[in-house]
Amino acid sequence: MSAKDDPEQVRDHLGRVRELMVARQHAIRSVLGVKNVWHVGPFASWASGRGGDR
């Protein structure tokens, strides 16, 4: 993403980043059952995209 000096593009990019953060938070809660991934600790399968297989 690139916005340079265009305030509207900056706003749009920040909105997209927020959408991605919210989607990640929902995935953590639905897959792991916790609000914060650090409450259960990091594990390799989460980082690899396989979800809840610890």
Side-chain angles (χ1 to χ4, degrees):
M1 285 190 265
S2 174
K4 301 214 179 200
D5 293 326
D6 185 343
E8 289 180 8
Q9 282 187 334
V10 170
R11 181 201 61 218
D12 294 345
H13 289 326
L14 289 174
R16 179 65 181 139
V17 168
R18 183 186 181 285
E19 289 172 5
L20 292 170
M21 286 179 12
V22 169
R24 180 180 180 272
Q25 290 168 339
H26 287 207
I28 289 168
R29 189 174 294 241
S30 68
V31 172
L32 301 178
V34 295
K35 182 176 172 181
N36 185 328
V37 72
W38 296 107
H39 291 165
V40 294
F43 46 94
S45 63
W46 179 260
S48 69
R50 292 193 312 258
D53 310 327
R54 293 184 199 192

